[in-house]
Amino acid sequence: MDAESEYGEPLSNLPMPVIRYDAQGQRRYMNGAAVAMMRAASEGACATNAEARVFSSEALQQYLDTIREVAITGVARELELPFAGLPQTHGEHYLVQFVSHPTPDSAPAVLAIYFNITARKRAEAKLRERESFLESLLDTMPIPVFSKDREGRYLHLNRAFEEFLGVPKERFIGKTVFETSPHELAQTYFAMDEELFAKGGIQRYEFKVQNATKAVRDVEFSKAVFHDDEGHQAGLIGAILDITERKRAESEQRAQYEKILQLNGRLEDKARELSDARAQLMTVLHTIPDLVWLKDTAGNFLLCNYSFEQFVGRPKAEILGKTDYDIFDAELADYFRERDKAAIDALHVCVNDDWVVAPSTRERTLLETRRLPVFGAGGTVAGVLGVARDMSERRRFEEKLARREREFRTLVENSPDTVARYGRDCRRLYVNPTFAALATGGAQALLGRTPAEYPGGPGSVLYEQQLREVFATASDREFELVWGPDENKELCQLIRLTAELGVDGKVETVLAVGRDISELHASRGKIHRMAYFDALTALPNRVLFNEQLRQAISNSKHGHYTAVMMIDMDRFKGVNDTMGHAVGDELLREAARRLVACVRVGDTVARFGGDEFAVLLPETADRCILEEISARIIRRLDEPFLLDGREVFISCSVGIALHPLDSTDAKDLLRYADSAMYLAKRSGRRGFRFYTKDLTVEATARLSLESELRRAVDLGEFELYYQPQVTLRGAQVIGSEALLRWNRPGEGFIPPDQFVPLAEETGLIVDLGRWVLREACCSAVEWNTGRGPRHRVSINLSARQFQSRDLALTVKDVLDETGCRPEWLEFEITESLLLEEDDSVLSALREFESMGLSIAIDDFGTGYSALSYLTRFPIDTLKIDRTFVQRVTTDRRHAELVKAILSIARCLGQRVVAEGVETIEQAAFLDAHGCEIAQGFLYSVPLPKPAIASLPRHLDPGAAYTVNP
Ligand code: C2E
Ligand code: CA
Ligand code: CA
């Protein structure tokens, strides 16, 4: 224990136990505190083996090993050791420091110094326990919670956090957001955290995060700062609240609210619309002509429109709230009441025709009334709506219509015209009795059939085509149609198709009216034949010849001639005069036959009248052919004719003109051929001559005539003669035709045929015509002033006069000047004038018509080509040409022609004057066929003016009154 004493002094006073061990771990020294501790450990017994009691065997071994290690190395060591064997008062935990402490003899020794750390250990354990409690507590919470230190490193995360993000907490602990989240997001988190540190308090904000299932959730972060012992910011703690559901609920609620707002808005609109509609309805109600009212079940008027007010004759204010008894008389009110009840009982609309006396006008009115029960909200009848229409007018109109319809039907059914109505398929829907009577099978054969089905034939094709065009174009049309209701009958009708439109504006049906113009048609046919062919020889006449000549000229071929031959029989007149007309006619017929035999196929032989024949020879290569033909003609006509049992000899002369050599003009060619023919005649008979320029000698003669004619106008060498016109019955003088005469000094009277054509050609006729007009007017005035019957003067107007524009004006002037009344005059014009496509003629004629002048067609029948002008122009009189009249008793064809002309005139309502009546027989024929007026040598030749005044009122046919000058 010496050593103990050696150190005992400083060590023994230390409050903590200190024990010195030798290198073998043998205890060498213990201070007081150590002794006490050991004693406590061994509970007063021998302290030799106290360490074994204090430590567990494991800790003891560690303890002894450390002593030996320190003893050897000299390097201090420390051990924390639990002291299981010490009583409570000494504590259970010690930190033992081993320090090398060699003895003075350098023997290694180790000091073990004991520091009681029980208190600290206990505090540590307590802390651990609390932390674990908190951790468990947080883990049990369903809300994700996290904490971070001041540097932003995650300190703690609870289980809910792990589950929410689907990431184990190890991935977060100790890391910042920059290591756990994408950079941008991390930056946001960091900024928010810093803001919290700066501001303190509790930070709340909403955010969107992706949860474990990658679903985006709305969350609310709640964060707060926590501090350490010294009050410095140590970190933050935060919780994440999933508010997705709440938000959805919120937005749903908001949507709901908005929906309600919208609905509300719509309801307001609806209400507005309804009130607008009601206002419109009321306007409509007030404007409609029908009477409208509404009554409740008690019969009080709730509503009425303007028409009703008018009908009742009171303003609305005096109607509404009142009943029928206040407005109508009791009987009527009873009736209305009853009708209303009937409608209420029937529960549907009831229609009645009510005869009512209108209170406003006291007029009996037919009302077509509809009463309709009106239902209230509960489904019970709340009242009666009434709508009434005034049918009186309509009823009257319908009756009128029915009457009209009856009238029309009577008209149509009794019309001499055929009437049919066609549907869109061209089938007949209606035929009138006239039409039905025409058809073999009656109406049955016609109805439901198309024209092609009945009567069929070529006419029906045209007919259906016209029908279809009317259906397509809706424009009416008129055409002539020849058709046969059966094989034995032929009919010519003027058909007029009229479109009948349906409500859609399309043609629904077509009305066809057919007028029988068979008579007119036949007459026209006859006239046509007569107009183009010579009745005696059946050869083409001058008209047809001229036409063919013009055609031949326009078709002429280069290097060929078109020749015109004029043939004149030298002794015909003698035969005619000595042997009579019948023989003369036979001679002409035979001559025609011989002429036709002389020419080629394709040549035309024509008779121009009298003994004048012409031949047209187109496409003639040279003169030799013409010479041959001419010679043949002369030879053949030289041969004797056997007439009336006697041999008769005549001869002929031929003149020839060539196109294009002599002229390219048809008229010239005829003239030249004529000149050549006269030359042939003059230079001895039985010859032919070609036209040559020398023949214009004749033209020179004409020139001198022309200059004389001009002078004659100035010298007053003209005189007017008048030929009376008489009624065929009774030969009463009713007028006269003014005929021009030229009293040529030294030559006597020259007939107009010899100078009028020249006057026309030169235009002199205009002045001459004005003179004639004035003269004739003066005569008319003279003969009509007095008490006798009217004497109408006919004046010939030539076509040339119409070419001067102011013809109508001239006529007006002359009438004014002479005091002649228009009804005392008639103008004679020729057909050719009307065929000219010249509106000035029509307008002049219209003007004459409007002035009251009448118009006659002179020489009617000679120039015919189209009769349509007869209806187009205002024509009063037809003058049948004297060549027709003179043959009516000898020639059946001429007789037919005159009858045809008379029938046309009858159809068209025109007067007919027969010209050139020379015999009683002619007069009788004309009278028998309906002609009323005649002019001719039978009654009188043209007379000088004074002779007319002294004529008796009735002429004696056959007595010549004066010699024809
Ligand atoms: P026109 O207008 O056909 O006149 C009737 C002609 O027939 C007259 O010949 C008349 O003398 C003749 N005539 C009358 N009764 C008979 C009869 O019973 N038998 C025969 N064979 N002939 C009869 P006119 O006077 O020589 O006149 C010839 C033509 O001259 C007229 O034919 C007419 O076209 C024209 N003309 C006469 N005066 C005028 C006139 O003032 N102005 C115009 N522009 N032309 C006139
Ligand atoms: Ca005449
Ligand atoms: Ca005439």
Side-chain angles (χ1 to χ4, degrees):
M1 283 288 137
D2 46 353
E4 239 174 276
S5 60
E6 222 175 290
Y7 302 106
E9 201 53 43
L11 292 177
S12 60
N13 294 326
L14 286 173
M16 69 281 283
V18 180
I19 303 173
R20 189 156 73 101
Y21 293 93
D22 64 15
Q24 281 72 47
Q26 289 296 313
R27 226 185 286 156
R28 290 297 177 197
Y29 167 75
M30 290 176 34
N31 73 353
V35 173
M37 187 181 73
M38 290 305 171
R39 237 181 235 141
S42 55
E43 287 159 350
C46 176
T48 327
N49 275 330
E51 285 90 338
R53 285 183 180 245
V54 172
F55 305 115
S56 63
S57 60
E58 198 186 328
L60 180 63
Q61 190 56 49
Q62 198 185 356
Y63 188 83
L64 294 175
D65 285 351
T66 306
I67 291 170
R68 272 191 288 272
E69 186 193 315
V70 173
I72 291 165
T73 63
V75 178
R77 288 269 317 260
E78 233 176 46
L79 275 180
E80 251 186 47
L81 291 167
F83 279 52
L86 277 174
Q88 283 283 311
T89 48
H90 287 271
E92 319 75 63
H93 285 279
Y94 281 85
L95 175 77
V96 183
Q97 282 185 345
F98 296 93
V99 188
S100 164
H101 194 273
T103 55
D105 53 2
S106 297
V110 174
L111 278 181
I113 309 157
Y114 283 65
F115 298 93
N116 187 348
I117 56 165
T118 306
R120 199 192 84 196
K121 276 286 183 192
R122 281 207 192 125
E124 272 179 10
K126 212 31 166 255
L127 196 68
R128 258 199 310 280
E129 190 184 323
R130 263 193 39 211
E131 270 191 350
S132 141
F133 167 76
L134 272 174
E135 215 166 291
S136 313
L137 182 70
L138 285 177
D139 280 346
T140 60
M141 279 175 57
I143 300 166
V145 176
F146 63 91
S147 58
K148 296 179 196 168
D149 64 17
R150 185 59 187 83
E151 275 68 50
R153 280 187 291 268
Y154 282 98
L155 289 172
H156 190 77
L157 308 166
N158 71 349
R159 188 160 297 147
F161 190 101
E162 284 179 300
E163 279 163 9
F164 183 67
L165 292 184
V167 182
K169 64 169 99 176
E170 288 71 31
R171 292 263 299 273
F172 283 84
I173 304 295
K175 293 179 179 155
T176 66
V177 283
F178 290 100
E179 294 161 279
T180 55
S181 301
H183 185 74
E184 247 172 80
L185 188 62
Q187 213 127 42
T188 312
Y189 284 142
F190 179 74
M192 294 308 290
D193 289 352
E194 284 305 306
E195 191 189 303
L196 174 64
F197 285 127
K199 287 187 178 164
I202 291 176
Q203 184 190 49
R204 276 209 179 88
Y205 57 92
E206 289 181 9
F207 211 69
K208 285 192 191 300
V209 298
Q210 249 184 13
N211 69 2
T213 61
K214 300 279 175 210
V216 175
R217 307 289 290 178
D218 285 302
V219 296
E220 186 184 76
F221 281 95
S222 295
K223 296 192 289 196
V225 180
F226 65 87
H227 299 83
D228 63 12
D229 295 350
E230 279 134 41
H232 298 300
Q233 288 181 332
L236 57 86
I237 179 156
I240 303 172
L241 208 57
D242 188 337
I243 56 166
T244 311
E245 296 310 318
R246 192 186 83 201
K247 283 212 91 146
R248 185 181 303 146
E250 261 175 22
S251 77
E252 252 168 38
Q253 213 168 33
R254 206 172 309 121
Q256 202 93 26
Y257 178 68
E258 257 153 34
K259 233 185 247 165
I260 288 170
L261 278 184
Q262 258 176 19
L263 199 65
N264 198 38
R266 277 213 295 276
L267 281 173
E268 276 171 16
D269 288 348
K270 251 298 145 335
R272 218 170 7 253
E273 267 171 37
L274 271 173
S275 95
D276 288 354
R278 197 186 132 81
Q280 276 171 11
L281 186 68
M282 286 316 289
T283 317
V284 171
L285 274 185
H286 284 307
T287 51
I288 60 173
D290 291 353
L291 318 181
V292 180
W293 67 87
L294 179 67
K295 287 185 250 180
D296 63 17
T297 46
N300 296 307
F301 281 95
L302 301 176
L303 179 151
C304 70
N305 72 343
Y306 181 69
S307 298
F308 189 83
E309 291 174 63
Q310 292 295 106
F311 180 75
V312 169
R314 294 191 203 190
K316 198 189 318 197
E318 289 179 29
I319 298 170
L320 301 189
K322 303 273 173 19
T323 69
D324 288 322
Y325 291 94
D326 302 315
I327 297 168
F328 303 102
D329 61 43
E331 194 187 336
L332 202 54
D334 277 342
Y335 172 77
F336 288 152
R337 194 80 197 110
E338 197 182 298
R339 288 276 142 245
D340 288 349
K341 283 220 175 69
I344 291 171
D345 292 343
L347 292 177
H348 60 71
V349 67
C350 294
V351 186
N352 295 100
D353 280 351
D354 302 336
W355 276 107
V356 175
V357 175
S360 53
T361 58
R362 310 308 306 165
E363 258 176 40
R364 248 168 78 75
T365 311
L366 175 66
L367 292 181
E368 185 192 88
T369 310
R370 278 151 211 281
R371 292 182 176 82
L372 176 73
V374 176
F375 297 92
T380 55
V381 176
V384 178
L385 178 71
V387 179
R389 178 162 298 180
D390 186 345
M391 304 296 282
S392 327
E393 201 48 45
R394 163 108 66 105
R395 185 64 64 90
R396 276 194 281 277
F397 182 70
E398 278 168 2
E399 277 163 14
K400 202 159 134 194
L401 212 64
R403 202 166 51 242
R404 284 273 293 282
E405 154 91 30
R406 274 198 302 279
E407 282 167 15
F408 276 126
R409 187 161 280 274
T410 313
L411 258 177
V412 165
E413 305 238 300
N414 295 298
S415 165
D417 296 336
T418 62
V419 180
R421 179 174 277 127
Y422 289 88
R424 283 193 183 139
D425 51 1
C426 294
R427 295 186 184 283
R428 294 184 193 91
L429 303 171
Y430 168 82
V431 294
N432 73 341
T434 307
F435 198 0
L438 276 179
T440 326
Q444 229 47 41
L446 295 168
L447 287 172
R449 300 254 165 84
T450 64
E453 285 166 2
Y454 184 92
S460 69
V461 178
L462 169 85
Y463 198 100
E464 276 186 29
Q465 194 182 318
Q466 297 278 359
L467 265 179
R468 261 183 233 109
E469 258 164 56
V470 176
F471 274 116
T473 62
S475 63
D476 300 351
R477 53 191 61 211
E478 206 175 73
F479 58 96
E480 287 179 16
L481 185 76
V482 178
W483 64 286
D486 56 61
E487 295 95 57
N488 311 319
K489 202 163 162 190
E490 194 180 73
L491 212 61
C492 177
Q493 282 192 314
L494 178 68
I495 309 260
R496 180 158 183 87
L497 300 181
T498 308
E500 297 181 309
L501 303 185
V503 278
D504 58 355
K506 286 206 187 107
V507 182
E508 201 155 77
T509 51
V510 171
L511 194 71
V513 177
R515 173 154 300 180
D516 187 353
I517 53 162
S518 302
E519 194 193 345
L520 185 69
H521 179 66
S523 309
R524 265 191 326 213
K526 271 181 214 156
I527 290 173
H528 183 265
R529 280 192 299 280
M530 294 293 188
Y532 281 110
F533 292 91
D534 171 48
L536 182 71
T537 60
L539 289 177
N541 64 8
R542 189 194 292 269
V543 179
L544 186 55
F545 183 89
N546 285 343
E547 214 156 272
Q548 289 187 349
L549 172 57
R550 268 189 287 275
Q551 223 156 45
I553 287 173
S554 67
N555 296 339
S556 65
K557 289 202 180 105
H558 182 71
H560 283 78
Y561 296 124
T562 294
V564 173
M565 254 178 213
M566 294 298 288
I567 301 158
D568 187 74
M569 267 157 246
D570 295 326
R571 280 199 311 256
F572 171 72
K573 213 171 157 24
V575 173
N576 210 28
D577 290 347
T578 55
M579 299 176 72
H581 281 310
V583 174
D585 287 356
E586 187 44 44
L587 171 61
L588 290 173
R589 271 197 286 268
E590 177 55 25
R593 275 193 287 274
R594 289 186 190 183
L595 281 173
V596 170
C598 289
V599 301
R600 309 167 302 178
V601 179
D603 295 341
T604 303
V605 179
R607 179 173 170 241
F608 278 8
D611 56 352
E612 215 182 336
F613 288 87
V615 186
L616 173 66
L617 304 112
E619 286 186 50
T620 308
D622 58 71
R623 281 164 176 261
C624 297
I625 297 171
L626 296 168
E627 283 167 12
E628 253 172 54
I629 292 174
S630 301
R632 205 184 302 154
I633 287 172
I634 291 166
R635 216 170 37 242
R636 285 290 283 123
L637 291 187
D638 234 8
E639 289 167 14
F641 289 79
L642 192 66
L643 299 169
D644 209 10
R646 283 168 56 186
E647 274 198 341
V648 174
F649 291 88
I650 57 159
S651 60
C652 76
S653 307
V654 177
I656 308 161
L658 298 179
H659 171 276
L661 185 70
D662 300 328
S663 171
T664 51
D665 180 70
K667 259 196 247 151
D668 283 350
L669 286 171
L670 279 166
R671 240 171 353 113
Y672 292 167
D674 210 40
S675 305
M677 191 260 290
Y678 275 110
L679 184 69
K681 215 180 196 131
R682 246 181 285 157
S683 46
R685 299 181 171 172
R686 295 189 182 81
F688 65 86
R689 275 298 175 97
F690 283 92
Y691 170 79
T692 60
K693 288 275 180 305
D694 307 341
L695 291 179
T696 26
V697 175
E698 209 123 329
T700 319
R702 252 168 46 118
L703 257 172
S704 71
L705 181 70
E706 192 186 320
S707 61
E708 274 184 76
L709 200 55
R710 275 180 205 285
R711 226 181 26 246
V713 180
D714 302 331
L715 294 176
E717 287 171 9
F718 290 102
E719 193 177 334
L720 272 191
Y721 271 54
Y722 298 89
Q723 186 176 29
Q725 292 184 345
V726 300
T727 56
L728 270 158
R729 300 254 165 102
Q732 185 195 341
V733 179
I734 55 159
S736 56
E737 179 179 1
L739 294 162
L740 190 57
R741 300 288 179 263
W742 183 8
N743 196 354
R744 201 174 178 187
E747 289 192 36
F749 283 100
I750 299 180
D753 290 338
Q754 286 177 26
F755 63 87
V756 166
L758 189 64
E760 283 176 340
E761 242 172 80
T762 54
L764 263 173
I765 194 75
V766 176
D767 290 336
L768 199 52
R770 196 177 300 130
W771 179 84
V772 169
L773 181 65
R774 193 175 293 117
E775 274 295 304
C777 282
C778 289
S779 302
V781 171
E782 239 170 78
W783 297 329
N784 283 289
T785 41
R787 237 166 285 132
R790 178 168 72 187
H791 184 108
R792 190 177 352 222
V793 178
S794 298
I795 298 164
N796 292 286
L797 290 183
S798 83
R800 188 69 168 76
Q801 284 173 271
F802 280 85
Q803 282 170 18
S804 65
R805 298 227 159 266
D806 49 358
L807 176 62
L809 208 70
T810 306
V811 170
K812 211 174 267 167
D813 286 348
V814 173
L815 288 181
D816 287 349
E817 191 187 309
T818 57
C820 180
R821 298 240 294 265
E823 62 266 28
W824 298 339
L825 296 185
E826 180 159 85
F827 287 145
E828 295 188 8
I829 57 171
T830 54
E831 283 171 285
S832 57
L833 185 68
L834 304 180
L835 300 178
E836 275 163 33
E837 303 272 306
D838 188 357
D839 283 343
S840 68
V841 172
L842 179 61
S843 67
L845 293 180
R846 287 261 154 83
E847 215 157 320
F848 291 160
E849 185 193 26
S850 72
M851 285 159 68
L853 289 155
S854 58
I855 306 292
I857 304 286
D858 206 353
D859 307 339
F860 185 76
T862 54
Y864 164 85
S865 67
L867 275 188
S868 58
Y869 68 76
L870 285 183
T871 50
R872 221 150 42 87
F873 294 97
I875 288 154
D876 309 282
T877 307
L878 303 183
K879 286 191 85 174
I880 306 180
D881 189 62
R882 63 176 178 276
T883 55
F884 301 125
V885 171
Q886 281 165 2
R887 300 216 162 178
V888 285
T889 49
T890 55
D891 185 334
R892 203 179 52 80
R893 286 167 54 95
H894 279 87
E896 285 302 315
L897 177 74
V898 169
K899 271 154 71 180
I901 292 173
L902 286 167
S903 104
I904 288 174
R906 205 166 32 246
C907 287
L908 301 174
Q910 281 149 347
R911 250 168 28 118
V912 177
V913 176
E915 274 189 338
V917 180
E918 293 181 347
T919 67
I920 298 280
E921 291 75 23
Q922 289 162 2
F925 175 91
L926 291 163
D927 181 35
H929 291 96
C931 184
E932 285 166 350
I933 305 157
Q935 176 185 350
F937 294 167
L938 176 64
Y939 303 98
S940 169
V941 294
L943 300 171
K945 183 173 165 185
I948 293 291
S950 54
L951 277 180
R953 184 172 292 177
H954 294 271
L955 300 185
D956 182 5
Y961 285 90
T962 306
V963 192
N964 185 20

